Amino acid sequence: MTLLKSHQDTFEQPQDDEVILSVKNVSKRFCRDLKKSLFYGIQDIAGEVLGLSKSSDVLRKSEFWALKDVSLELRRGEALGLVGANGAGKTTLLRIISGLIKPDAGTVEVKGRVAPLIALGAGFNPVLTGRENVYVNMSILGLSNEEIDECFDQVVEFAEIGEAIDAPVQSYSSGMAARLGFACAIHTEPDILLIDEVLAVGDAKFRSKCTRKLSELRRQGTAFIFVSHNSMAIMAVATSAVYLRRGKLLLSGNTETIISKYEEDLFLDGVEVAQGAMYLKEKTADQSSGIDITSLALKDAQGKILDFLTSGEPASFCAELKVHRYIEDVSLRIEVREVGGENDTVLFLSGLMDDRVFNAHPGKCEIVIDMQYVGFKPGIYTANINVRQGKHFIFDTIESYRFVVKGDASMSKCKFYQPRTWHFNYCS
């Protein structure tokens, strides 16, 4: 018996087995030099007219692969997340699927209507009014004037444009253009919806509204490919994901696994992350301000040094200090931020604020912070750590202590770990 059903469950429903998009070994090359690009274009057109064969696998001077041998399938009702760094080929792939550009090699088979949302107000004429652009845009997407008449009021209501619908689009803000473009696309009843970061400009209320609409479209059988640099947005919407890197398909499959690999590559490339204990060179008494941090470590409940933290599991943070003279009122302060986040502080711990200050005697000592459970969501974090006396005097500081937090599927859509217990009670 099903006891509970959440809004997220609407994104986890089984998809139809019907494949409505098949991308097979698609490659696309571009040229970095404008003059050569024009010359190659004329050369290719002439070759097609004369029926001359050309090798699609060979790069000419100044060319590069935007996509190389990319294959994927999309089934009816499936939500596919597309991730990768800037320049990975995500937008190029969407443009090929939508028919805006042709691949140099490979095939794309589409069943049904495709509605691309690849750029803000794509297809809008800035001189025309919003009303006129709705008719032009939805006509391009395959609707007749009669069909547009039937859904026009719904488009305007969803876009929240109001009286501005009769104003020129050039007077719209980017958010207004995005809302109108999104409203046009979803009301064409597409089989495939392509979304490329265009919702990032909307306010929180409109983004929530779009998420609910996407859920509704999926229940009706619409499939969509969703591109975003917001990992939480991808995990909240996508049932599977594809990771592109430098034009090649690196991984595809479970959304959480793909996002984890993508973030590790993005934020750990060339960055030193704490694995095990971090040892620092000891200072002499002349070099020191009185107390030095000599090592930092993450440990489990048994005192074993950890290479990474795990969401929901107990752990300790340990800072070993070298004290050169007797000092009173010593405390530790830790400020943690997520690497690649919004640079907000996600955790602030202060021994002074917690009324946990110590009197330190000369020699080695250790300050230990025991955590009953790790509340961080999976990701990569950096901590600023300092040992101080009172509010202002700092003895020693570690500017960036980076560490990794891992988790399982129960943490895939959470911003923090919530300890919990479950009960089932019969009610009279």
Side-chain angles (χ1 to χ4, degrees):
M1 179 176 67
T2 301
L3 299 176
L4 298 170
K5 183 174 179 65
S6 69
H7 175 68
Q8 285 292 348
D9 293 337
T10 60
F11 289 103
E12 303 298 336
Q13 60 185 337
Q15 289 87 44
D16 193 311
D17 286 336
E18 180 189 2
V19 176
I20 59 175
L21 171 65
S22 177
V23 176
K24 296 181 180 179
N25 304 115
V26 163
S27 297
K28 182 64 180 177
R29 58 189 176 190
F30 291 116
C31 184
R32 293 186 176 90
D33 186 285
L34 179 59
K35 290 184 179 179
K36 284 188 173 63
S37 178
L38 293 172
F39 174 73
Y40 293 152
I42 295 171
Q43 195 177 55
D44 292 342
I45 292 171
E48 288 184 10
V49 171
L50 298 175
L52 301 176
S53 61
K54 64 173 183 176
S55 176
S56 59
D57 294 329
V58 179
L59 290 177
R60 294 167 289 192
K61 188 176 181 180
S62 299
E63 288 187 330
F64 67 96
W65 291 114
L67 291 173
K68 182 64 174 174
D69 293 327
V70 173
S71 299
L72 59 87
E73 289 184 338
L74 186 68
R75 289 171 170 76
R76 188 169 298 281
E78 184 179 3
L80 179 68
L82 191 58
V83 301
N86 291 328
K90 304 184 297 298
T91 300
T92 300
L93 179 58
L94 294 191
R95 290 181 181 274
I96 289 175
I97 293 171
S98 65
L100 295 175
I101 58 176
K102 290 176 59 179
D104 290 309
T107 60
V108 176
E109 296 179 8
V110 177
K111 294 182 180 179
R113 176 182 290 159
V114 178
L117 276 168
I118 300 176
L120 293 172
F124 285 174
N125 185 321
V127 177
L128 299 180
T129 66
R131 182 184 300 273
E132 292 166 334
N133 270 294
V134 167
Y135 277 86
V136 172
N137 192 268
M138 297 185 76
S139 295
I140 293 172
L141 294 176
L143 270 66
S144 65
N145 281 349
E146 291 75 15
E147 290 173 319
I148 300 173
D149 289 338
E150 291 179 5
C151 65
F152 181 82
D153 290 340
Q154 297 174 4
V155 171
V156 177
E157 180 182 358
F158 188 93
E160 301 174 5
I161 294 295
E163 296 180 356
I165 192 66
D166 289 311
V169 166
Q170 63 187 0
S171 66
Y172 288 9
S173 67
S174 59
M176 292 171 67
R179 294 202 301 271
L180 189 59
F182 185 85
C184 288
I186 62 175
H187 284 90
T188 61
E189 298 182 357
D191 295 283
I192 302 172
L193 185 61
L194 308 178
I195 308 171
D196 186 5
E197 286 285 8
V198 298
L199 302 182
V201 298
D203 56 35
K205 180 182 177 182
F206 185 74
R207 289 198 300 270
S208 177
K209 182 179 180 179
C210 292
T211 301
R212 292 194 300 271
K213 186 63 179 181
L214 292 177
S215 174
E216 179 186 331
L217 290 172
R218 279 204 58 219
R219 289 196 297 269
Q220 296 170 359
T222 297
F224 54 88
I225 299 178
F226 185 70
V227 175
S228 177
H229 288 288
N230 185 332
S231 298
M232 292 300 293
I234 291 284
M235 288 193 288
V237 172
T239 53
S240 58
V242 167
Y243 177 13
L244 292 178
R245 187 168 68 181
R246 296 174 184 174
K248 296 182 179 181
L249 195 155
L250 188 66
L251 287 173
S252 64
N254 176 270
T255 306
E256 289 77 19
T257 303
I258 300 302
I259 292 295
S260 177
K261 174 61 178 173
Y262 164 61
E263 289 191 337
E264 284 185 14
D265 289 349
L266 185 64
F267 298 124
L268 293 184
D269 186 21
V271 175
E272 184 178 349
V273 175
Q275 290 185 326
M278 175 182 177
Y279 298 98
L280 300 123
K281 185 178 180 180
E282 292 190 14
K283 302 174 184 176
T284 64
D286 294 337
Q287 297 170 328
S288 172
S289 298
I291 301 178
D292 307 318
I293 301 172
T294 56
S295 73
L296 301 169
L298 304 169
K299 298 181 180 180
D300 64 14
Q302 289 72 44
K304 180 182 177 182
I305 294 176
L306 299 170
D307 288 337
F308 57 85
L309 297 177
T310 303
S311 297
E313 296 294 322
S316 298
F317 175 80
C318 306
E320 185 181 85
L321 310 176
K322 181 179 180 181
V323 183
H324 293 273
R325 63 180 187 276
Y326 176 74
I327 301 173
E328 297 180 343
D329 299 331
V330 174
S331 65
L332 195 71
R333 192 175 83 161
I334 303 175
E335 189 172 3
V336 180
R337 290 182 171 86
E338 185 179 8
V339 176
E342 300 298 323
N343 204 37
D344 295 331
T345 299
V346 297
L347 179 67
F348 180 79
L349 299 176
S350 168
L352 185 63
M353 292 176 62
D354 289 349
D355 196 24
R356 290 295 182 268
V357 296
F358 308 93
N359 296 331
H361 294 267
K364 291 286 185 72
C365 65
E366 187 179 50
I367 296 179
V368 180
I369 303 173
D370 290 321
M371 298 175 283
Q372 295 179 357
Y373 59 88
V374 174
F376 297 119
K377 70 180 181 70
I380 302 149
Y381 297 84
T382 181
N384 179 289
I385 303 155
N386 60 65
V387 58
R388 57 176 54 208
Q389 184 181 49
K391 291 183 178 180
H392 305 296
F393 188 83
I394 298 174
F395 293 104
D396 199 7
T397 298
I398 304 299
E399 295 287 348
S400 181
Y401 174 75
R402 298 199 177 198
F403 59 93
V404 173
V405 178
K406 296 187 178 182
D408 54 23
S410 66
M411 281 295 297
S412 63
K413 298 177 177 70
C414 302
K415 289 192 174 182
F416 66 93
Y417 176 82
Q418 173 61 56
R420 64 268 193 183
T421 56
W422 294 77
H423 301 282
F424 180 81
N425 299 318
Y426 286 99
C427 301
S428 57

